[in-house]
């Protein structure tokens, strides 16, 4: 069988089954801050424009955006991460609270809360200011973080590791997380949105969700065409002994490797593309929630591909709702899901 026949009615019923399921998300959380205004004059202090800020917008990013996607789909995200202390940590909590997310954050004195500030005037980014410390989280802080994870595991079927390379994912973190999951009676599945320098750390996980570039970098091989992507995927399976691999292909949709030799291609359903920011977060959030609700992997990826197709058609790091998913499934031509020969 070289094609997978999508049953619209079944997919629609699957969407209804997502509500109320829990997904544990552990990873680097951050605030995306946008300062917007006019730049009418040059500063008397230095030869730089003065931006008169008229709007100050804060959005949750990184692992927080994965949690936001789970929540919009009707799931219950449990978000565990680290932050600093003081007013910027309070800002992070407020921004998460605005999204209806109750995080469990280990506060680390002296460590900055990750905030990325963009200054925008006349639709143009003038400056980005990063506040972060990406050094590894270890010692008592890692112990605290993992204690929170341990408490959450009792009723968790899926753990999403959202690695933005800001210090949470280390060898020790991955080893201890894997051991805790293996020992848990719920046998949670670990899904990882990878960061290239950490690739070697994701040993034995249920599935990774790299994009094409990360697939190439993780394998140390080119990934410019189907043959190369298959070879790169096979190399990743050999290196990490993961169970499955989902390579997201941008405008080409995604390739799900059930095994190195059993791959399915799901083409994108996007009708229009405005902003691809955060589409990777949408993919792992949707797959995670679908698996938590008991759906099979291929069907979970097909739903994630619909969700990604919806968010790339919206401006900013958007999220897809169950209604939008149902509308897309009901009205769009079903994607031709074929085996990648
Ligand atoms: N240009 C595009 N046209 C159509 N669909 C797209 C496009 N870009 C992304 N998508 C959809 O979004 C999914 C994830 O996108 P992509 O492969 O770009 O992930 P990513 O690079 O991890 O994203 P992110 O920038 O959020 O990390 C794809 O599998 C596809 O369904
Ligand atoms: Mg990504």
């Amino acid at each position: 069988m070289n094609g997978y026949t999508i049953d619209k009615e079944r997919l629609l019923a699957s969407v209804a089954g997502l509500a109320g399921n829990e997904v544990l998300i552990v990873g680097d959380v951050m605030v995306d801050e946008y300062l917007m205004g006019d730049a009418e004059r040059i500063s008397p202090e230095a030869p730089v424009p003065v931006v008169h800020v008229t709007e100050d917008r804060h959005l949750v990013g990184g692992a927080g955006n994965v949690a936001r996607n789970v929540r919009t789909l009707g799931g219950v995200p449990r978000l565990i991460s680290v932050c600093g202390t003081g007013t910027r940590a309070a800002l992070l909590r407020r921004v998460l609270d605005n999204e209806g997310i109750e995080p469990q954050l280990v506060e680390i004195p002296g460590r900055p809360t990750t905030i990325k500030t963009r200054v925008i005037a006349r639709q143009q980014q003038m400056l980005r200011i990063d506040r972060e410390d990406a050094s590894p989280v270890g010692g008592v802080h890692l112990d605290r973080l993992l204690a929170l994870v341990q408490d959450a595991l009792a009723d968790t079927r899926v753990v999403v590791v959202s690695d933005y390379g800001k210090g949470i994912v280390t060898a020790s973190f991955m080893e201890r997380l894997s051991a805790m999951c293996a020992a848990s009676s719920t046998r949670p599945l670990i899904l990882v949105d990878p960061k290239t320098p950490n690739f070697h750390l994701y040993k034995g996980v249920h599935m990774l969700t790299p994009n094409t570039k990360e697939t190439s970098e993780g394998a140390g091989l080119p990934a410019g065409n189907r043959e190369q992507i298959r070879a790169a995927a096979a190399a990743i399976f050999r290196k990490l002994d993961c169970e499955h691999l989902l390579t997201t292909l941008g405008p080409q949709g995604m390739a799900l490797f059930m095994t190195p030799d059993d791959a399915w291609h799901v083409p994108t359903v996007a009708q229009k593309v405005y902003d691809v920011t955060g589409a990777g977060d949408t993919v792992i959030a949707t797959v995670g929630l679908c698996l938590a609700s008991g759906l099979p992997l291929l069907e979970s990826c097909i739903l994630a591909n619909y969700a990604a197709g919806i968010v790339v058609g919206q401006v900013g790091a958007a999220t897809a709702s169950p209604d939008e998913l149902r509308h897309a499934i009901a009205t769009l031509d079903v994607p031709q899901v074929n085996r990648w020969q």
Side-chain angles (χ1 to χ4, degrees):
M1 195 183 64
N2 290 322
Y4 173 87
T5 311
I6 292 181
D7 180 343
K8 273 194 184 195
E9 293 308 318
R10 222 178 82 184
L11 268 194
L12 288 168
S14 302
V15 175
L18 299 181
N21 288 286
E22 275 197 23
V23 179
L24 176 59
I25 299 139
V26 194
D28 305 297
V29 70
M30 56 193 84
V31 175
D32 287 309
E33 176 175 54
Y34 297 86
L35 303 180
M36 286 168 289
D38 313 311
E40 303 282 333
R41 64 194 187 95
I42 298 297
S43 169
E45 299 163 16
V48 294
V50 174
V51 177
H52 176 226
V53 175
T54 51
E55 200 184 336
D56 191 347
R57 211 182 280 169
H58 296 101
L59 298 170
V60 49
N65 193 43
V66 178
R68 192 172 150 250
N69 274 274
V70 168
R71 165 115 175 112
T72 309
L73 284 167
V76 181
R78 282 188 82 155
L79 175 64
I80 297 178
S81 188
V82 301
C83 65
T85 56
T87 52
R88 296 208 177 90
L91 170 67
L92 171 65
R93 288 182 190 278
R94 198 163 67 239
V95 172
L96 285 165
D97 188 60
N98 288 343
E99 299 290 346
I101 300 163
E102 253 182 77
Q104 288 176 290
L105 300 171
V106 176
E107 292 201 353
I108 306 181
R111 189 181 177 98
T113 300
T114 306
I115 303 184
K116 294 187 183 294
T117 303
R118 285 100 172 165
V119 180
I120 296 165
R122 294 188 182 149
Q123 269 86 55
Q124 235 186 316
Q125 186 167 329
M126 323 262 304
L127 183 67
R128 194 174 106 180
I129 303 159
D130 285 2
R131 295 177 173 101
E132 66 179 43
D133 171 1
S135 64
V137 173
V140 64
H141 307 302
L142 178 58
D143 292 344
R144 284 202 191 115
L145 182 86
L146 288 168
L148 293 171
V149 173
Q150 180 72 67
D151 284 346
L153 281 188
D155 31 40
T156 293
R157 295 174 76 174
V158 174
V159 182
V160 168
V161 176
S162 177
D163 189 0
Y164 275 81
K166 304 300 178 202
I168 288 196
V169 176
T170 58
S172 175
F173 169 84
M174 281 312 298
E175 279 162 21
R176 291 167 70 182
L177 175 71
S178 298
M180 276 162 51
C181 288
S184 167
S185 57
T186 52
R187 284 300 164 107
L189 309 173
I190 301 177
L191 310 183
V192 180
D193 193 355
K195 189 82 186 167
T196 296
N198 289 339
F199 237 88
H200 60 288
L201 302 178
Y202 316 122
K203 293 221 170 66
V205 299
H206 188 69
M207 189 166 80
L208 300 175
T209 63
N211 59 22
T212 315
K213 186 165 176 276
E214 291 153 350
T215 301
S216 160
E217 291 166 347
L221 291 169
N225 56 41
R226 183 187 296 196
E227 260 330 290
Q228 290 181 343
I229 293 170
R230 285 181 57 125
I236 290 171
F237 275 98
R238 278 196 304 275
K239 278 189 191 185
L240 298 181
D241 197 24
C242 51
E243 267 173 74
H244 311 291
L245 181 75
L246 179 66
T247 292
T248 59
L249 307 169
Q252 269 79 52
M254 49 176 64
L256 169 62
F257 291 86
M258 299 298 295
T259 68
D261 302 314
D262 178 15
W264 294 91
H265 176 239
V266 186
T268 184
V269 298
Q271 300 290 289
K272 50 189 189 316
V273 178
Y274 285 124
D275 190 345
V276 300
T277 314
D281 293 338
T282 301
V283 168
I284 196 157
T286 312
V287 173
L289 182 59
C290 288
L291 291 175
S293 79
L295 291 178
L297 184 56
L298 180 54
E299 210 164 286
S300 299
C301 292
I302 290 169
L303 278 175
N305 188 64
Y306 270 106
I310 292 166
V311 304
V312 298
Q314 299 174 0
V315 179
T319 52
S321 69
D323 276 347
E324 287 170 306
L325 260 185
R326 272 191 287 265
H327 181 75
I329 295 165
T331 59
L332 300 177
D333 290 338
V334 292
Q336 296 301 307
V337 178
N338 286 312
R339 237 181 244 283
W340 240 16
Q341 303 287 1

